Amino acid sequence: TDEIMQQEIRPLVAVDIIEQLHRQFAILSGGRGKDGAPIITFPEFAGFSEIPDDDFLNVVTYLTSIPSLEAASIGFIIIIDRRRDKWSAVKASLTRIAGAFPGNLQLVFVLRPSRFIQRAIADIGIKLYRDEFKMKVPIIMLNSVSDLHGYIDKSQLTRELGGTLEYGHSQWIHHRTAIENFAMTVKTTAQMLQSFGTDLAETELPNDVQCTEELLSSHTDHHSKLKDELKLAVKQGATLLTCIREPVTRSANSKLSPDELENVATVERLLAQLDETEKAFDQFWTKHHLKLEQCLQLRHFEHDFREVKLTLDNLMETQAGFADIGDSVTRVENLLKEQKHLEEKGQEPLEKAQSLALHGEQLIQNNHYAVDSIRPKCVELRRICDDFTNETKKKYDILGKSLELHKQLDKASQWCEAGIYLLASQAVDKCQSQEGAETALVEIEKFLVTAKEHQLSNPKEFYNQFDMILTPEIKANAQRIVQKLEDVQEMFDKRQVSLKKLAAKQTRPVQPVAPHPESSPKRASPKITRPAAVENTSYHFQVRRSGPAAQNGNHALVEGLIEKCISKSQGHIINELIETERVYVEELQSIIEGYASEMDNPSLVHLIPSALQNKKEILFGNLPEIYDFHNRIFLKEIENCIENPELLARCFLKRKEDLQIYEKYCQNKPRSEALWRQCGDSIFFQECQRKLDHKLSLDAYLLKPVQRITKYQLLLKEMLKCSKNSEGTAELEEALATVLDIIKSVNDSMHQIAITGYEGDVSELGKLLMQGSFNVWTDHKKGHNKVKDLARFKPMQRHLFLYTKMLLFCKKREENTDGHEKTASYSFKNSLKMSTVGITENVKGDNKKFEIWYNGREEVYIIQASSVELKNTWISEIRKVLTGQLEACR
């Protein structure tokens, strides 16, 4: 228990009555009776009876408050020295002490007047007036100080009373003021330390490096100043202790009086308390300083993590863009070079990521408070590094197989070309002889031996080998080449059959017959190069080709005429919409001309109340803008729908952005109503209403825009009922959704403008998507948010505002406004960035609860909706936001 903070404040201190104390009409010399009772002396004082009662009472009260409670409980001994005075002074002194002494009395000693007559009078007077003094303790009349010595030891009496007790009044006052000042210093210092400690405990840890560094520097500076204050206080106490003990230090024979010993004990106790306070504060500061240093380490780690993560994500995105596996050997070789360059480019960020992950592990090993935040980031960094390395290896494997595939396809294609050239170069006339046929057969057999080089003799095995990279294009190309191989092989087989027949012994010469053109080309050089015109060869073969047959004929596009049919009920709805729109426009015009414009009429200026001066825009909002839009644009467009009802939905869809002007009007409505309540009964408005011959006052007409925007949804719903399953149903549904979205946006904005206490700009949080009230439980992980955060076991009533960038938690408050209905306001409590939140749909089996967690579950919010439908709606909207962010990042 902090004794300094809980001790009672004394009603009086020496500095308050310093002048009265210096008069020395009563002193506490420090002497004690035989039983330890404190002695208060009233020395000779000529003007004792003239001392004001308040001054006397203050001094005596102060003197009785100085001894310890144990000594004071024994009772005080009063010594009244009136040896040089008269009986009247004795009587006056006893009367005053009897009537005003605040302490417990034990004995009263009176040194009677020394003059004979006054002594005789005193003897008689004490007998006559003893009962009038109303003292319940003995009053002992003494003739001399020697008589006093019979009751009190000389060592406990000052020199004025024949004793040996050293007493200096000025020094006594000095010690008393010093002790009380030191006590106040100790108390003030303890309060400053406690206040600083409370501030530290309540300090929210910043979320960025700069703010954390500034906070650490600020707290360290403040701590240094408080330590200096502590040193000064300790020095002050030590100096005071030395001053009190000075007589003993100066002379070995000197002894401190009981009061001085109590003073020493008091100062020592204050110094001990100061030391305990300092130790407790140092212990708390050590923990807090470590907390701030770890917070700074965390913020640096998070900052570096974000930078490295962004670089790695860009690297992974670039790598993911390398989806091409090439369509030729040259292309694949270029892709391999690009992949190698990307791998080299990624070495530096990968090394940074590994180093940062190692640093994070070191923080965890050093017992960092944010382990739950650091460890997932280390895991994420290593995962991305492994993913990049594995993906790079996978890319190399795929490109290696692609290169091998295309080389094989190229070899096969070249073998086919060489085979076709070989067949084309064998002249028919030379093959007619047995020798020529045998020579041609040998050439073919030698060439067929080279077929092993292209390794495409087994298509099934080929497909199994390259299945992982066989895209439809590559597969089609491979099938084409395999088919070509089969065709060439078939040609060789047929040529071999023909040549073998020719090589056999012939009974008669064979007349060679050449196909068109009749002349055969001369034998080409041994190089395997395809001749310029292979078609003009002296052999005949056919390559099989596959493909769908061409289909002839044109399909005529016949468009049927669509009859426009408007039902009776549709016509009624269109007519109602147009008629009410015309009335609405006329009413807006009458308000603007009959009220707003009249506020500028010089003849009516004197009727306008002062509270309404220069506040036309507050009262009417953007009503002129609404009137201009409906009168000039919207009314004309819906009038065109009389003959074409199918155009109605397009009117609303086309003017979706223009209809947002109602949001601004409704946001201003509370201010307008407040101003109307203040000035609505003025003569000005009564005069305007009389001229317009309106049955209702202005405030009823100012509600028209709010009523109109809700009227549109009702009319569109009716229109939709009549148009079910018809051609324009989809557009009507979209138009209705548009109007409902505008109404929701208006309603949400009305709540949004009632948010108080949010220091940022609400307009920067993106579009307001949802708002509503929920029960909320919070759970902050150790070391986050506040130093002494506690989990809440009871739900908080919170009103949530969901924006595309932020989720606000507010407390709803309702206040009566001038006797009217309650108006709600929303006191800002907390906010979560949507870029750092996650969501869990079901919590502990309760289908009305869902969970939002922040910064890797550093903070968890369990939210209970009033219904399952409401919960599902919010979850759906939050997921849309998160999905949109994810797509944007990708």
Side-chain angles (χ1 to χ4, degrees):
T1 304
D2 188 350
E3 295 181 10
I4 299 174
M5 302 306 297
Q6 301 210 5
Q7 68 181 356
E8 293 184 3
I9 300 174
R10 297 174 187 258
L12 285 173
V13 291
V15 72
D16 295 335
I17 55 173
I18 195 72
E19 293 182 5
Q20 294 91 321
L21 290 174
H22 274 297
R23 296 178 71 182
Q24 202 173 340
F25 58 80
I27 62 172
L28 184 69
S29 62
R32 292 286 193 271
K34 293 178 181 179
D35 57 356
I39 299 173
I40 295 179
T41 305
F42 290 87
E44 291 284 355
F45 193 83
F48 185 78
S49 60
E50 298 174 1
I51 296 171
D53 291 340
D54 289 344
D55 291 353
F56 174 80
L57 182 60
N58 286 341
V59 170
V60 175
T61 301
Y62 178 69
L63 294 180
T64 55
S65 68
I66 293 173
S68 66
L69 293 175
E70 182 181 358
S73 64
I74 298 172
F76 288 89
I77 296 175
I78 303 296
I79 299 177
I80 304 173
D81 186 3
R82 293 294 180 264
R83 287 174 289 175
R84 298 178 185 178
D85 217 326
K86 301 177 181 179
W87 159 248
S88 58
V90 175
K91 180 183 178 183
S93 299
L94 290 172
T95 302
R96 172 166 278 184
I97 292 170
F101 191 79
N104 181 26
L105 283 173
Q106 187 188 97
L107 284 173
V108 177
F109 294 102
V110 180
L111 287 170
R112 70 181 74 189
S114 58
R115 285 180 291 178
F116 178 77
I117 296 174
Q118 291 299 324
R119 179 178 297 178
I121 296 172
D123 289 340
I124 298 169
I126 195 63
K127 294 177 181 178
L128 295 174
Y129 294 100
R130 184 182 295 273
D131 294 338
E132 293 185 12
F133 296 138
K134 298 179 182 178
M135 289 190 183
K136 297 180 180 179
V137 298
I139 300 174
I140 302 173
M141 303 296 290
L142 304 172
N143 294 326
S144 64
V145 292
S146 59
D147 294 342
L148 180 62
H149 297 162
Y151 294 95
I152 300 173
D153 191 86
K154 287 183 179 183
S155 63
Q156 303 301 317
L157 297 173
T158 60
R159 294 184 182 277
E160 290 78 5
L161 298 176
T164 61
L165 182 64
E166 295 290 339
Y167 175 77
H169 192 62
S170 297
Q171 186 184 49
W172 181 87
I173 292 175
H174 174 71
H175 284 179
R176 289 309 307 166
T177 54
I179 290 171
E180 289 165 356
N181 285 337
F182 179 57
M184 183 56 66
T185 300
V186 172
K187 182 176 181 179
T188 304
T189 304
Q191 287 175 337
M192 285 192 298
L193 292 178
Q194 187 182 44
S195 176
F196 183 51
T198 302
D199 290 342
L200 296 185
E202 292 292 340
T203 300
E204 293 188 3
L205 298 179
N207 291 322
D208 59 87
V209 173
Q210 182 180 353
C211 291
T212 306
E213 288 176 342
E214 291 174 355
L215 184 65
L216 180 59
S217 175
S218 171
H219 283 188
T220 304
D221 291 344
H222 198 168
H223 171 258
S224 299
K225 291 177 182 178
L226 286 177
K227 289 291 286 184
D228 291 340
E229 293 285 342
L230 272 169
K231 289 178 182 177
L232 286 174
V234 172
K235 186 177 180 181
Q236 179 185 349
T239 303
L240 178 56
L241 203 57
T242 302
C243 291
I244 297 173
R245 289 173 172 168
E246 190 266 337
V248 179
T249 307
R250 187 176 66 248
S251 173
N253 296 326
S254 298
K255 291 184 179 180
L256 297 179
S257 69
D259 282 356
E260 289 173 327
L261 290 173
E262 285 187 1
N263 288 344
V264 169
T266 298
V267 175
E268 288 177 341
R269 178 175 58 83
L270 290 172
L271 283 171
Q273 290 174 353
L274 200 58
D275 183 60
E276 290 176 5
T277 302
E278 183 178 10
K279 287 179 181 177
F281 175 72
D282 286 344
Q283 186 178 7
F284 175 79
W285 168 253
T286 300
K287 294 180 180 178
H288 180 75
H289 189 257
L290 176 63
K291 189 82 166 186
L292 286 181
E293 287 184 332
Q294 288 187 342
C295 179
L296 183 59
Q297 292 171 348
L298 177 63
R299 299 309 174 220
H300 278 296
F301 178 78
E302 290 174 340
H303 177 267
D304 295 342
F305 173 78
R306 286 192 291 269
E307 289 187 346
V308 171
K309 178 79 162 49
L310 180 62
T311 305
L312 291 178
D313 287 344
N314 291 335
L315 197 65
M316 292 295 289
E317 186 177 355
T318 304
Q319 188 184 58
F322 280 98
D324 190 6
I325 61 172
D327 55 2
S328 66
V329 172
T330 304
R331 175 60 180 158
V332 175
E333 288 174 344
N334 288 334
L335 288 173
L336 282 167
K337 290 178 182 178
E338 292 177 7
Q339 184 63 38
K340 183 67 176 176
H341 175 70
L342 179 64
E343 184 182 18
E344 292 172 353
K345 180 182 176 183
Q347 286 306 309
E348 183 179 354
L350 287 175
E351 289 174 1
K352 284 184 178 180
Q354 293 288 0
S355 176
L356 185 60
L358 182 61
H359 175 58
E361 292 295 339
Q362 290 173 348
L363 292 178
I364 293 172
Q365 291 174 7
N366 293 333
N367 297 320
H368 197 285
Y369 69 81
V371 173
D372 293 341
S373 175
I374 296 172
R375 182 171 283 119
K377 292 180 175 62
C378 295
V379 173
E380 177 71 3
L381 289 173
R382 290 200 170 99
R383 183 193 63 78
I384 296 176
C385 291
D386 292 343
D387 286 351
F388 181 80
T389 302
N390 295 335
E391 193 64 26
T392 300
K393 185 177 181 302
K394 184 178 177 182
K395 292 283 185 185
Y396 277 129
D397 292 342
I398 292 175
L399 289 174
K401 284 190 174 294
S402 179
L403 183 62
E404 182 183 352
L405 167 66
H406 287 295
K407 283 182 178 180
Q408 288 193 30
L409 292 176
D410 284 354
K411 284 182 180 179
S413 182
Q414 290 170 5
W415 186 85
C416 289
E417 297 294 333
I420 292 172
Y421 172 75
L422 176 61
L423 292 174
S425 64
Q426 292 179 336
V428 175
D429 55 347
K430 292 183 179 181
C431 293
Q432 298 302 314
S433 66
Q434 184 179 5
E435 182 181 357
E438 290 176 349
T439 302
L441 277 170
V442 171
E443 289 178 346
I444 290 173
E445 288 173 356
K446 286 182 179 180
F447 182 77
L448 288 177
V449 172
T450 64
K452 296 179 180 179
E453 295 179 4
H454 56 66
Q455 297 179 354
L456 293 181
S457 55
N458 189 340
K460 185 175 181 181
E461 182 182 341
F462 169 77
Y463 287 132
N464 290 336
Q465 183 181 359
F466 298 101
D467 182 60
M468 61 183 295
I469 61 168
L470 282 177
T471 63
E473 295 79 10
I474 295 176
K475 190 172 183 178
N477 185 39
Q479 287 175 340
R480 181 179 59 80
I481 292 175
V482 169
Q483 184 64 57
K484 188 175 181 182
L485 280 169
E486 293 177 356
D487 292 340
V488 171
Q489 185 67 46
E490 184 180 351
M491 286 190 288
F492 273 111
D493 292 342
K494 290 181 178 179
R495 179 64 62 90
Q496 281 180 312
V497 171
S498 300
L499 290 174
K500 285 177 180 178
K501 291 178 179 179
L502 291 172
K505 191 175 181 179
Q506 301 177 0
T507 56
R508 57 185 181 86
V510 179
Q511 178 68 33
V513 180
H516 297 288
E518 293 183 357
S519 60
S520 300
K522 295 180 180 180
R523 182 69 176 253
S525 64
K527 287 185 179 181
I528 304 176
T529 55
R530 187 170 182 173
V534 177
E535 290 78 14
N536 296 327
T537 57
S538 48
Y539 65 91
H540 185 74
F541 67 94
Q542 181 179 7
V543 178
R544 296 195 301 271
R545 301 190 180 275
S546 62
Q551 296 181 0
N552 296 325
N554 296 322
H555 295 284
L557 300 177
V558 180
E559 294 183 358
L561 297 175
I562 302 173
E563 296 182 0
K564 297 180 180 179
C565 183
I566 304 173
S567 66
K568 227 176 185 183
S569 55
Q570 283 181 316
H572 286 318
I573 295 169
I574 292 290
N575 288 332
E576 181 185 353
L577 175 60
I578 294 172
E579 288 302 318
T580 54
E581 187 71 8
R582 288 169 179 166
V583 172
Y584 175 58
V585 170
E586 290 173 2
E587 288 175 335
L588 294 182
Q589 182 180 7
S590 68
I591 296 169
I592 293 170
E593 293 178 356
Y595 287 98
S597 298
E598 288 297 293
M599 290 182 71
D600 299 324
N601 188 345
S603 62
L604 297 177
V605 169
H606 66 284
L607 299 178
I608 300 175
S610 58
L612 195 61
Q613 296 289 343
N614 301 319
K615 293 183 180 178
K616 182 165 68 174
E617 291 183 1
I618 295 177
L619 184 62
F620 295 98
N622 63 331
L623 196 69
E625 183 184 5
I626 295 174
Y627 166 73
D628 183 67
F629 164 70
H630 283 271
N631 181 53
R632 191 169 51 85
I633 299 172
F634 200 59
L635 175 60
K636 295 177 181 178
E637 288 183 353
I638 61 175
E639 283 177 340
N640 292 333
C641 299
I642 295 177
E643 300 298 329
N644 302 287
E646 67 274 10
L647 299 178
L648 179 62
R650 297 178 193 176
C651 290
F652 285 93
L653 295 174
K654 180 181 177 182
R655 298 301 172 186
K656 178 180 180 179
E657 297 298 326
D658 294 319
L659 289 169
Q660 296 292 335
I661 55 178
Y662 281 90
E663 183 174 338
K664 181 179 178 181
Y665 183 84
C666 292
Q667 285 179 346
N668 179 69
K669 199 71 178 67
R671 298 173 63 201
S672 173
E673 289 174 351
L675 186 60
W676 172 258
R677 287 195 294 270
Q678 189 178 357
C679 310
D681 56 352
S682 68
I683 300 175
F684 169 78
F685 291 118
Q686 295 174 8
E687 181 64 16
C688 293
Q689 183 177 348
R690 185 189 61 79
K691 287 183 179 180
L692 291 169
D693 195 25
H694 281 178
K695 294 181 180 179
L696 302 175
S697 56
L698 173 61
D699 59 331
Y701 287 90
L702 291 176
L703 277 173
K704 295 292 183 180
V706 181
Q707 297 167 342
R708 188 59 184 169
I709 195 68
T710 56
K711 179 70 173 177
Y712 288 141
Q713 63 145 332
L714 299 175
L715 292 170
L716 286 172
K717 285 179 180 177
E718 292 299 319
M719 194 73 178
L720 194 57
K721 289 179 183 178
C722 301
S723 305
K724 276 294 180 185
N725 303 322
S726 64
E727 203 169 297
T729 302
E731 280 192 336
L732 278 172
E733 289 176 344
E734 189 177 355
L736 176 59
T738 296
V739 174
L740 291 174
D741 188 58
I742 292 171
I743 293 172
K744 178 183 177 299
S745 178
V746 168
N747 182 49
D748 289 348
S749 69
M750 294 294 289
H751 290 272
Q752 174 182 274
I753 61 172
I755 296 176
T756 61
Y758 181 72
E759 294 181 357
D761 187 356
V762 176
S763 62
E764 294 178 359
L765 304 182
K767 184 180 179 182
L768 176 59
L769 304 173
M770 303 280 286
Q771 55 80 27
S773 294
F774 298 89
N775 289 332
V776 178
W777 290 261
T778 64
D779 184 14
H780 300 278
K781 296 292 183 184
K782 180 182 177 183
H784 290 272
N785 199 35
K786 294 184 180 178
V787 174
K788 58 177 186 180
D789 252 334
L790 296 174
R792 290 182 176 269
F793 297 98
K794 293 183 179 180
M796 299 177 292
Q797 300 297 319
R798 290 290 182 263
H799 201 87
L800 273 58
F801 293 84
L802 175 63
Y803 297 85
T804 53
K805 297 181 180 179
M806 195 83 76
L807 177 64
L808 298 188
F809 290 76
C810 299
K811 186 173 183 179
K812 185 175 181 181
R813 305 181 187 278
E814 293 184 344
E815 299 175 355
N816 288 322
T817 307
D818 300 330
H820 291 262
E821 68 276 8
K822 291 182 178 180
T823 58
S825 66
Y826 303 95
S827 177
F828 171 76
K829 292 297 180 183
N830 192 19
S831 63
L832 303 178
K833 290 182 179 179
M834 293 302 295
S835 59
T836 57
V837 305
I839 186 170
T840 305
E841 289 192 18
N842 290 312
V843 179
K844 297 178 180 178
D846 191 337
N847 58 3
K848 293 183 182 179
K849 289 182 180 178
F850 62 101
E851 184 181 86
I852 291 178
W853 39 271
Y854 184 61
N855 269 352
R857 294 190 177 274
E858 290 177 1
E859 299 174 18
V860 178
Y861 298 81
I862 299 174
I863 300 172
Q864 184 182 50
S866 58
S867 65
V868 178
E869 292 76 19
L870 179 61
K871 169 201 149 182
N872 292 337
T873 302
W874 272 74
I875 287 177
S876 174
E877 201 64 39
I878 291 173
R879 289 204 179 282
K880 286 179 184 177
V881 174
L882 300 181
T883 302
Q885 290 177 349
L886 183 60
E887 291 176 355
C889 290
R890 287 175 178 172

